Amino acid sequence: MNKIYFDHNATTPVLGEVFDAMVPFLKDQWGNPSSIHWAGRGTRKAVEDARESVCRLLNCQNVELIFTSTGTEGDNHAIKGAAYANKNKGNHIITTRVEHPAVLNTCKHLAKEGFEVTYLDVDSDGLIDLDALKAAITPKTILITVMFANNETGVIFPIKEIGDIARERGVLFHTDAVQAAGKVLIDVQKLNVDLLTVSGHKIYGPKGVGALFVKRGVRLVPLIHGGHHERNRRGGTENVAGIAGFGKAAEIALRDMDKEIEHLKALKDRLEAGLGKIPHIKVNGHLEKRLPNTSNISFEFVEGESLLLNLDMKGIAASSGSACTSGSLEPSHVLVSMGLTHELSHGSVRFSLGKSNTVEEIDYLIEIMPPIVERMRSMSPLYAGAK
Ligand SMILES: *Cc1c(COP(=O)(O)O)cnc(C)c1O
């Protein structure tokens, strides 16, 4: 059976070039980057070269980037770090209802500690109302955190506009750009963002490494206290191999971005045109303001988990929303926030495409999908009425 992977928003395979860049640091080059002797010099250089590459992807300076263990840690560091550093100024944080759990649950935790959190609603396109954002800002607001692109629907938020509003009102702005990196151009110089999170394994790098951009002059309370690593902002001996792999992945992401976007967009358009022939389906999220690789589709009268199992039996890996919530019976908080009924949310599948996907794979999906959907619907009493 052919294996087809349409779940790149959950994680991406490690590229060969990335693997090759990591190997020396799992083997012969084992020195501590903090050592001043010969054993540490090579690993220090590897960490700083990788920093340079990730900075180029974001267009920031080397002193503005902290390596973290994951995207989740980056989000935690940005949000808790900014909240604690500014608690004398205020206790109010603004976010959206559709953030990744790494942001939502961090905000929930802070709410238990006495911070106040406003969760902005999204419309049926999955976007927030900028006037509602402006109206939510109070003199006590210290942080706005809005994701760059949604992991479930691919919807891209107006980061520049939000940054402008935050800047004008003197509020820090964090964005979780884990899904955006490599799929849209990110230029922190042009965006007025103060804090921005990325993760290695979503851009064909290894798992267990991420980075947080911290604009020069922005103060954060560290999450992990320890030695003088990362300019005293994150203690702990660096994950050199992981960082080296992340650096290589960032270099490739920047180098191949235009080509990649074109490739992904063509495949996604083909997928949506093909599956669009199935009746009673809907593509979720704003049709234009969306990542080039993500297609979240609701199939009415179908149970998403069963659909995924049927696809899995044909070798196709897709997902129902975020990997972190699949397996739970809760409907996607993202789709419910966009106004979908629980039933329709449960009938939604996310196809997230990547580098190695081909036209043939998309055509295979388009071919096998209608009979699977039809068979599943034929078992639904509701469908008989709607037909
Ligand atoms: C995957 C993901 C994260 C978490 O990154 P990890 O490195 O897996 O911890 C955070 N935010 C978004 C939007 C993601 O897609």
Side-chain angles (χ1 to χ4, degrees):
M1 183 174 67
N2 263 347
K3 285 214 174 94
I4 300 180
Y5 188 72
F6 290 148
D7 202 12
H8 291 81
N9 288 10
T11 195
T12 54
V14 171
L15 295 178
E17 282 178 84
V18 168
F19 177 77
D20 292 344
M22 296 174 68
V23 170
F25 307 102
L26 293 166
K27 223 174 148 200
D28 303 324
Q29 294 206 52
W30 39 261
N32 188 323
S34 296
S35 300
I36 55 163
H37 51 63
W38 58 266
R41 280 195 286 271
T43 47
R44 169 54 52 201
K45 182 168 185 315
V47 169
E48 296 316 317
D49 285 353
R51 197 185 309 279
E52 184 92 37
S53 297
V54 178
C55 288
R56 259 200 292 269
L57 181 63
L58 308 178
N59 195 24
C60 68
Q61 294 169 11
N62 294 11
V63 295
E64 296 177 312
L65 196 88
I66 306 174
F67 282 117
T68 62
S69 68
T70 49
T72 300
E73 185 193 318
D75 286 340
N76 271 264
H77 191 169
I79 298 167
K80 290 180 191 160
Y84 298 150
N86 293 285
K87 64 172 189 273
N88 292 332
K89 240 178 92 188
N91 69 340
H92 182 227
I93 297 166
I94 300 174
T95 186
T96 78
R97 293 199 185 280
V98 297
E99 299 296 311
H100 188 274
V103 168
L104 281 181
N105 289 330
T106 301
C107 289
K108 255 194 227 165
H109 172 76
L110 287 173
K112 281 192 214 139
E113 293 186 352
F115 288 89
E116 273 175 44
V117 183
T118 298
Y119 298 91
L120 297 173
D121 290 324
V122 296
D123 59 20
S124 56
D125 282 333
L127 287 163
I128 57 168
D129 175 0
L130 292 180
D131 288 328
L133 168 64
K134 281 184 207 157
I137 299 173
T138 74
K140 292 232 172 274
T141 309
I142 49 177
L143 177 70
I144 296 169
T145 173
V146 176
M147 67 202 324
F148 206 123
N150 186 274
N151 44 301
E152 293 190 34
T153 58
V155 166
I156 298 173
F157 287 84
I159 297 304
K160 167 90 171 72
E161 285 79 354
I162 298 168
D164 290 346
I165 293 167
R167 179 64 45 90
E168 195 190 305
R169 304 289 292 270
V171 176
L172 289 175
F173 177 37
H174 165 249
T175 185
D176 174 337
V178 171
Q179 289 297 343
K183 300 173 201 150
V184 291
L185 192 68
I186 298 176
D187 182 340
V188 295
Q189 306 298 327
K190 293 202 180 125
L191 287 175
N192 274 345
V193 302
D194 298 293
L195 300 152
L196 180 144
T197 310
V198 286
S199 173
H201 76 103
K202 303 286 175 80
I203 63 162
Y204 304 90
K207 292 163 187 62
V209 63
L212 177 65
F213 158 74
V214 184
K215 196 183 186 71
R216 208 190 263 266
V218 170
R219 257 179 355 99
L220 291 185
V221 170
L223 204 60
I224 298 178
H225 297 89
H228 298 299
H229 312 91
E230 301 296 289
R231 300 177 171 262
N232 295 319
R233 293 182 298 190
R234 184 192 189 262
T237 301
E238 297 86 343
N239 168 12
V240 181
I243 289 171
F246 186 19
K248 178 54 82 175
E251 181 192 317
I252 296 168
L254 185 61
R255 182 191 74 196
D256 295 349
M257 192 168 327
D258 293 346
K259 190 174 79 184
E260 188 64 15
I261 290 171
E262 209 176 302
H263 167 71
L264 293 170
K265 178 134 198 330
L267 291 183
K268 185 186 69 172
D269 288 349
R270 192 178 182 98
L271 180 152
E272 290 181 356
L275 295 186
K277 300 203 177 94
I278 300 173
H280 305 290
I281 73 148
K282 183 183 175 294
V283 176
N284 294 309
H286 194 283
L287 287 181
E288 275 90 51
K289 295 171 187 162
R290 207 149 42 103
L291 291 175
N293 81 316
T294 308
S295 187
N296 187 306
I297 302 180
S298 293
F299 297 84
E300 250 185 288
F301 316 111
V302 164
E303 213 276 300
E305 297 286 328
S306 324
L307 185 51
L308 288 178
L309 291 175
N310 275 280
L311 289 175
D312 190 25
M313 284 191 278
K314 300 267 188 195
I316 296 177
S319 142
S320 60
S322 70
C324 322
T325 49
S326 62
S328 82
L329 290 173
E330 283 295 299
S332 150
H333 69 287
V334 175
L335 298 179
V336 169
S337 300
M338 289 163 66
L340 271 73
T341 61
H342 285 208
E343 288 73 27
L344 205 49
S345 303
H346 276 304
S348 303
V349 172
R350 176 186 75 186
F351 301 96
S352 49
L353 313 179
K355 264 186 203 303
S356 63
N357 289 139
T358 62
V359 167
E360 288 72 28
E361 290 176 338
I362 301 291
D363 288 350
Y364 178 66
L365 175 74
I366 294 171
E367 183 195 317
I368 65 155
M369 202 68 163
I372 293 176
V373 171
E374 188 52 41
R375 182 157 37 82
M376 291 179 66
R377 283 178 174 170
S378 68
M379 294 182 272
S380 158
L382 291 172
Y383 184 55
K387 224 171 159 183

